[in-house]
Amino acid sequence: MNIKILLPILSIALIFASCSHVYTPALYHQDIAYQPKPTSFDTAKSLTYVSAGLGGYSNTNLNDLLVSGQLNVSRGHVFDNFNVAYGGFAIFGDYQNGSSDKTQPNYFSDKFFGAVGGRFSANAFVTTGRADFRFIGVEMAYSHEFGAYADFRKSINTQGGYYVDPRTDLFTIGLTTEVIFHNRDDNTFQHGIRGFLGTTVGHNNLDDTYYNDQTSTERMFRKIFPKASYFITFKNYFGTFEVGSNIFVRFGYKF
């Protein structure tokens, strides 16, 4: 291999190898999920949605992997030019440590995590032809984490010498915009595309340690995160596909 090519590759490898291990809450920037709501062209103006899904994502430094399953139940309503939805969820997953150095203090290969919480969503919309333009909305989520991974973060936080956010209670809020429309000959066959931009509020211990050299502006932009969602429903069945810092797929039934 040409030495001019080899040197940059080795440099990049050394940079990643020297990255510090950062432990954040399992649901950090992962607690927001698309909440279905009835449309102006649905016959029913209030619906209950039950679903299950699978997700995968990495931690802050992209060196660990988190996989989880999720159960959701929510209730949605449509009024004149206004939607609202609320519900609860439960998550069960596995935090897989990307480190291969088993000699490190407190090394582990994987740890269980779980969480329960609630979500709320509301938006204003206008109807044009076959589409509802949900031009402005707000979403929020509260979650409480439990399990071995949460206990691990609390333990090493008291020891010192680690970069860790020990929080187990998170509150996330943000703004949304969405368009949802139905097929030409079937208003039960619907598609929706939603964008979300929000942040998890509250003090993060990592701001005092790992990110202590960042300016207030850098911290603000680091804490804001986007998410894009695709929603599809046919008769009483629906599904969502979401991407952001994660990939999440969900299928469910409405009644």
Side-chain angles (χ1 to χ4, degrees):
M1 181 182 291
N2 190 306
I3 189 67
K4 292 182 179 180
I5 299 176
L6 181 61
L7 287 176
I9 293 176
L10 290 175
S11 299
I12 293 172
L14 287 172
I15 290 172
F16 278 95
S18 62
C19 286
S20 301
H21 218 117
V22 178
Y23 295 106
T24 57
L27 264 63
Y28 187 65
H29 290 176
Q30 310 299 330
D31 46 359
I32 287 288
Y34 183 92
Q35 282 210 290
K37 310 179 190 75
T39 64
S40 65
F41 33 84
D42 279 320
T43 303
K45 301 307 177 184
S46 296
L47 288 167
T48 298
Y49 299 84
V50 179
S51 64
L54 292 173
Y57 46 98
S58 185
N59 69 335
T60 301
N61 277 9
L62 305 179
N63 49 11
D64 295 339
L65 177 66
L66 295 85
V67 292
S68 64
Q70 185 174 131
L71 300 174
N72 305 270
V73 58
S74 65
R75 182 75 172 166
H77 307 275
V78 60
F79 307 99
D80 292 338
N81 303 111
F82 183 74
N83 279 101
V84 65
Y86 46 87
F89 63 91
I91 295 177
F92 306 95
D94 187 51
Y95 187 105
Q96 301 174 8
N97 194 334
S99 174
S100 59
D101 186 0
K102 297 182 180 180
T103 64
Q104 292 181 355
N106 295 302
Y107 169 83
F108 67 93
S109 60
D110 66 287
K111 289 186 180 293
F112 164 79
F113 67 86
V116 293
R119 298 187 178 106
F120 175 83
S121 175
N123 62 265
F125 71 89
V126 293
T127 303
T128 303
R130 295 183 288 118
D132 281 356
F133 289 92
R134 297 170 175 173
F135 55 91
I136 184 66
V138 61
E139 293 201 12
M140 56 189 72
Y142 164 78
S143 64
H144 174 72
E145 182 188 348
F146 57 88
Y149 177 57
D151 294 339
F152 169 76
R153 294 199 319 278
K154 292 178 181 179
S155 173
I156 62 174
N157 186 58
T158 60
Q159 296 177 25
Y162 292 90
Y163 296 116
V164 57
D165 179 357
R167 288 180 295 176
T168 54
D169 294 281
L170 300 178
F171 180 73
T172 299
I173 188 169
L175 298 176
T176 64
T177 186
E178 180 184 359
V179 58
I180 185 166
F181 57 95
H182 66 80
N183 284 17
R184 186 179 302 276
D185 300 319
D186 188 350
N187 64 3
T188 70
F189 200 165
Q190 303 167 8
H191 309 264
I193 301 173
R194 183 209 68 169
F196 169 88
L197 189 67
T199 186
T200 299
V201 301
H203 179 70
N204 185 342
N205 282 13
L206 295 174
D207 288 341
D208 302 327
T209 56
Y210 191 70
Y211 300 112
N212 65 340
D213 59 343
Q214 288 188 339
T215 66
S216 57
T217 301
E218 289 173 329
R219 290 183 180 184
M220 179 184 69
F221 282 105
R222 171 174 52 81
K223 293 180 179 182
I224 295 174
F225 68 99
K227 184 167 286 192
S229 305
Y230 168 70
F231 171 76
I232 184 170
T233 181
F234 179 65
K235 298 191 183 300
N236 291 334
Y237 299 93
F238 69 92
T240 61
F241 177 73
E242 302 190 60
V243 293
S245 56
N246 69 333
I247 295 177
F248 182 63
V249 180
R250 175 173 43 158
F251 298 97
Y253 184 81
K254 61 180 182 177
F255 55 92

